[in-house]
Amino acid sequence: MRLLFALPGFHKYERGAEIALLSVAAELARTGDAVTVIGSGQPRASDPYKFIHASSIRRENFEKFPSIPLFRSETVYEEATFAANLAMRYKPADYDAVLTCSFPFTNMVLRRPVFGGKKPLNIFITQNGEWPAVSNDAEYRFFSCDGLVCTNPDYYETNKNRWNCALIPNGISTERFKLGAGDRVGLGFPADRKVILMVSALIPTKRVMDGIKAVAPMDDTHLVVAGDGPMREDVKALAAELLPDRFTQLTVTPDQMPALYQSADAFLHMSLLESFGNVFPEAMACGLPIIGHDTPRLRWIVGDQEFLVDTQDIPSVTQALRSALVAKETAPAKISDRATSFAWPNIARQYREYLTELMRNQT
């Protein structure tokens, strides 16, 4: 198959969407498909796919821009600058299928009319949410796709009667994310306290400030937040007030992510709802207990043995953290069987089967 993956952050950022889609692209390329990736970063010699650069302006430059219809956030402004350059580099006749999780501009560029030749299948992945597929408001009215990859069962049930859907979760590299000693000294973590880890962008929906409040009563713990975003100053101010000398905010490279998990004692995630959340199987694969918001979707990912509560009840989160730390200390470390089921080769196989079926039906 001749496949194109397009996203502004490819090779420029190492975030959930970029990691997930590039992992699928790499696995498909390694097993014989002709895969091209277009992003705003630079080529890397080690990657098995072809990379094409299409520049964009970093979203941080738009953090103070107004939120208006269509341009609702700094990410949409960034995407618009990428889409303009993508349009000049995208040649539909070169591909059998094109894949993205970015809307509106990237999706629209990839769906542009083809005059002569066969139009590639347009596949949308609900990595960042299902809103484009389910909403008929504003710009979402113009959404369309030939196939919808649903990253959780909720999305599949909502969309299966409207779009040609497949339920395919995200995955992890089980060669990288595994049990290990970590690197507390190198990461600057204290040796005399339990380390609670959050891997979150500093944006309202991630509820990092509520995480700070939940950890505050636990004097023997240290909270580490790996991530950045527009709320960085608010987060630092609250941490200085509630967690003096018990808080670290940092960003790490992709190569450091396994050691980051391995250096912690528990993993906390406060979002009320995630499309999938790569961080959950990554943390499980490194042997960390999970504290998160109790939803059927999250239980589908982590199972029934983790420490899921109503995270809007802060005292309940604190108690769940205490229980998780006791469990981590008393039980032998092991990799969850659920975590290994999310290995990227398994996920890429599901993509190949789905794309093959779509192409067969197209002809």
Side-chain angles (χ1 to χ4, degrees):
M1 292 182 289
R2 302 173 304 155
L3 306 175
L4 169 66
F5 289 74
L7 202 64
F10 283 157
H11 287 204
K12 189 174 186 179
Y13 301 107
E14 297 292 341
R15 298 178 297 231
E18 286 80 6
I19 292 170
L21 271 66
L22 286 180
S23 297
V24 174
E27 288 293 339
L28 291 172
R30 290 190 188 102
T31 50
D33 294 306
V35 179
T36 301
V37 169
I38 300 182
S40 53
Q42 298 299 324
R44 302 182 303 216
S46 60
D47 290 315
Y49 48 72
K50 175 184 177 182
F51 183 83
I52 299 174
H53 170 79
S55 63
S56 67
I57 299 174
R58 294 178 66 95
R59 62 183 58 179
E60 289 82 358
N61 293 301
F62 300 110
E63 286 180 357
K64 295 183 179 180
F65 275 50
S67 176
I68 58 177
L70 191 58
F71 291 90
R72 302 179 187 278
S73 68
E74 65 271 13
T75 61
V76 182
Y77 280 99
E78 176 189 51
E79 188 203 358
T81 66
F82 168 74
N85 291 298
L86 171 65
M88 293 187 288
R89 291 160 177 79
Y90 170 49
K91 298 178 180 178
D94 290 347
Y95 309 106
D96 300 312
V98 295
L99 302 91
T100 190
C101 65
S102 191
F103 183 84
F105 299 110
T106 304
N107 172 262
M108 292 178 177
V109 168
L110 296 178
R111 286 166 39 214
R112 75 185 189 195
V114 174
F115 301 102
K118 189 177 180 180
K119 188 175 182 179
L121 291 169
N122 187 285
I123 312 301
F124 192 81
I125 304 166
T126 59
Q127 176 67 37
N128 295 321
E130 64 174 343
W131 292 111
V134 301
S135 176
N136 288 318
D137 295 334
E139 66 271 20
Y140 301 119
R141 293 174 297 167
F142 304 107
F143 173 81
S144 183
C145 67
D146 298 304
L148 189 74
V149 174
C150 301
T151 54
N152 62 65
D154 298 348
Y155 289 176
Y156 181 79
E157 289 300 320
T158 302
N159 291 284
K160 65 181 181 180
N161 294 325
R162 183 177 183 185
W163 306 105
N164 195 329
C165 296
L167 173 58
I168 307 176
N170 285 346
I172 58 170
S173 170
T174 52
E175 295 179 355
R176 297 178 58 235
F177 294 96
K178 56 188 177 181
L179 299 180
D183 185 16
R184 287 200 176 191
V185 174
L187 291 167
F189 297 172
D192 58 344
R193 291 182 181 143
K194 299 295 184 182
V195 173
I196 297 169
L197 173 65
M198 299 183 75
V199 179
S200 294
L202 304 185
I203 57 177
T205 58
K206 301 297 184 181
R207 302 180 58 227
V208 172
M209 296 178 74
D210 284 337
I212 292 172
K213 295 174 185 176
V215 174
M218 304 171 66
D219 294 334
D220 59 341
T221 61
H222 187 94
L223 177 63
V224 174
V225 176
D228 196 11
M231 293 184 67
R232 65 184 69 86
E233 296 305 321
D234 293 334
V235 167
K236 290 178 182 178
L238 185 63
E241 176 186 350
L242 299 183
L243 297 173
D245 301 318
R246 293 198 295 127
F247 177 78
T248 300
Q249 186 266 323
L250 78 170
T251 56
V252 298
T253 65
D255 290 341
Q256 292 175 299
M257 285 300 295
L260 178 70
Y261 289 112
Q262 294 160 358
S263 301
D265 296 290
F267 180 76
L268 172 64
H269 202 72
M270 295 291 287
S271 292
L272 299 180
L273 207 58
E274 293 275 2
S275 297
F276 181 82
N278 297 36
V279 292
F280 296 117
E282 289 174 353
M284 287 192 296
C286 294
L288 291 183
I290 306 295
I291 303 91
H293 191 65
D294 193 358
T295 64
R297 184 183 302 176
L298 185 51
R299 286 188 180 274
W300 175 71
I301 298 171
V302 304
D304 296 321
Q305 305 303 313
E306 301 296 340
F307 300 85
L308 306 186
V309 297
D310 178 1
T311 59
Q312 297 173 103
D313 181 350
I314 301 301
S316 292
V317 178
T318 303
Q319 182 56 50
L321 284 165
R322 295 187 192 278
S323 299
L325 290 173
V326 170
K328 179 70 162 58
E329 190 169 359
T330 57
K334 64 178 183 178
I335 299 177
S336 163
D337 291 338
R338 298 186 72 88
T340 58
S341 71
F342 293 112
W344 280 121
N346 295 335
I347 305 304
R349 174 183 50 78
Q350 295 176 57
Y351 268 87
R352 179 177 290 104
E353 292 172 353
Y354 175 53
L355 291 169
T356 299
E357 182 65 22
L358 287 177
M359 291 177 189
R360 183 181 298 118
N361 292 338
Q362 185 186 35
T363 56

